[in-house]
Amino acid sequence: MSSGQEPVFPEYETETSQTSKLLRKFKETPFVPIGMAGFAMVVGYGLYRLKHRGDMKMSLHLIHMRVAAQGFVVGAITCGVLYSMLREYVVKPKE
């Protein structure tokens, strides 16, 4: 970019670190990292239980873990949407 032009998206071209961007996103949408952490926990638990599944078929075990992980993520997204709707429409911000 030449020095004579203004940036197209100045908010994206500021000198900020990746950590500060990540923390800002987590503050704006707190249920996204909760959903990601829950997904990681379900996957970890599923891998742990993989050895101790008994006589359950592998495909059935994987289907159960997939449904549990997707359910946690969908639940976190739903809570996030409800939280943002509550903040925007019920508890109106001062303008």
Side-chain angles (χ1 to χ4, degrees), residues 13-84:
E13 296 182 12
T14 59
E15 295 295 325
T16 57
S17 67
Q18 291 295 329
T19 307
S20 65
K21 288 180 184 179
L22 189 63
L23 289 175
R24 182 176 49 89
K25 281 293 187 187
F26 284 172
K27 287 179 184 176
E28 290 174 2
T29 56
F31 288 96
V32 171
I34 292 171
M36 290 174 12
F39 176 78
M41 288 187 330
V42 169
V43 168
Y45 178 74
L47 289 173
Y48 171 74
R49 293 292 301 167
L50 190 62
K51 282 185 153 184
H52 308 290
R53 70 181 189 273
D55 58 353
M56 183 187 292
K57 288 185 175 182
M58 172 76 93
S59 62
L60 187 61
H61 175 74
L62 292 176
I63 289 171
H64 286 177
M65 290 300 109
R66 179 186 64 100
V67 168
Q70 283 178 333
F72 198 94
V73 171
V74 168
I77 290 172
T78 303
C79 288
V81 167
L82 292 174
Y83 176 71
S84 67

